Amino acid sequence: MAQFFSIHPQTPHSRLIRQAVEIVRNGGVIAYPTDSCYALGCQIGNKEAMDRIRSIRKVDQNHNFTLVCRDLAEIATYAKVDNAQYRLLKAATPGSYTFILTATREVPRRLQHPKRHTIGLRIPDHPVAQALLTELDEPLLSSTLILPGDELPLNDAGEIRKRLEHQIELVMDAGSCGADMTTVIDLTDIAPKIARVGKGDLSLFGITHG
C-alpha cells in the first residue's frame, strides 16, 4: 500500500522530504511533482526499481529514462557538455526541458541509448522536486507518469494513489502541476534539434515548430 504525503508545493516540509528520500534509498518507487507533470522516480542505481517503472508503464527495454538533476554541475557529471551546450543549458534551466546529451561513464550502460550512448537529463523548476534532489544528493531516475491507455499524464494525486497504490511506495501530493510533458531537445549535433514538443519554450534555442 502506497504511503500518501500531502506536501506544500512551494515550501515542502523537510521531514516529509527526508522520509521520501529514505523510501527512494530503500528501493522504493515514488510519484512526485515536477514543473511539467507528475513523474515516477527511483534511485539511479536500482535496476529492480527501474524495471518496476517499466512494468507500470508497460514499456520495453528501449524506453528512455531521464536523469532528473538539481543543477548544471550535476548534469556535467552525467553528460559531456561543451561550452556552447553549457550556455544553452544555463539559459533554459531550471525549466520544462529534457536535454539529450552524450553520456559519461558515470551513467550505467543500461540507461544509455544502446547505439548513440546518450542520456536524457533535466533540471525541474519545482520546489518539491528540487528539495528531493538536494536531500538525495544525486539524480532521480525518472519517467513521465502516463499509464498504458492514457493520452495524458496523471495530474491528480488521489487518482494516482487509486491506480497505483499497490505498485509504488509513495505518492507526493503537491496539487495540480499540469499535464504537459517536457520539450525534448537533442543537443548532440551542432545545432539543437527538437525531439518532442512540450511545455518548454522553443524560442530559447532558435527553433521554430509548425
Side-chain angles (χ1 to χ4, degrees):
M1 184 75 71
Q3 295 189 62
F4 190 85
F5 293 174
S6 293
I7 192 161
H8 196 282
Q10 298 299 322
T11 54
H13 198 291
S14 58
R15 177 179 58 83
L16 295 178
I17 294 295
R18 287 194 299 271
Q19 290 177 0
V21 166
E22 184 177 354
I23 288 169
V24 171
R25 287 180 176 148
N26 287 332
V29 174
I30 67 171
Y32 71 99
T34 76
D35 53 339
S36 58
C37 56
Y38 276 88
L40 294 169
C42 69
Q43 195 166 30
I44 186 172
N46 194 313
K47 184 178 183 300
E48 181 182 354
M50 179 184 72
D51 287 342
R52 288 171 55 205
I53 292 176
R54 277 203 180 100
S55 178
I56 289 167
R57 291 210 48 202
K58 297 289 191 291
V59 294
D60 62 21
Q61 296 295 315
N62 294 320
H63 175 72
N64 294 316
F65 283 83
T66 298
L67 297 186
V68 177
C69 302
R70 60 182 153 171
D71 54 28
L72 287 173
E74 203 162 70
I75 279 186
T77 299
Y78 295 92
K80 297 176 182 178
V81 180
D82 64 23
N83 289 337
Q85 292 166 336
Y86 183 86
R87 287 193 294 271
L88 285 172
L89 291 169
K90 189 173 182 180
T93 60
S96 296
Y97 303 93
T98 299
F99 301 99
I100 307 299
L101 289 159
T102 302
T104 66
R105 293 180 180 179
E106 297 296 319
V107 181
R109 276 296 184 95
R110 67 176 180 273
L111 302 182
Q112 301 179 29
H113 188 284
K115 294 181 180 178
R116 300 179 65 205
H117 304 297
T118 54
I119 184 69
L121 307 102
R122 67 169 302 218
I123 302 173
D125 188 14
H126 194 288
V128 173
Q130 278 292 335
L132 280 171
L133 295 165
T134 298
E135 180 69 23
L136 184 61
D137 198 28
E138 66 179 17
L140 269 169
L141 183 64
S142 297
S143 183
T144 303
L145 209 174
I146 182 167
L147 297 182
D150 291 356
E151 293 185 3
L152 295 172
L154 292 178
N155 187 40
D156 179 82
E159 180 70 11
I160 294 170
R161 176 168 62 172
K162 179 180 176 182
R163 295 181 66 177
L164 294 178
E165 63 179 346
H166 298 296
Q167 298 179 69
I168 64 177
E169 279 66 42
L170 172 65
V171 177
M172 302 185 76
D173 179 11
S176 171
C177 58
D180 294 319
M181 291 186 279
T182 58
T183 290
V184 179
I185 304 291
D186 188 337
L187 295 181
T188 59
D189 211 339
I190 295 173
K193 290 190 288 191
I194 180 170
R196 181 181 73 198
V197 177
K199 188 175 181 181
D201 182 9
L202 293 175
S203 63
L204 282 171
F205 305 92
I207 299 172
T208 57
H209 181 75

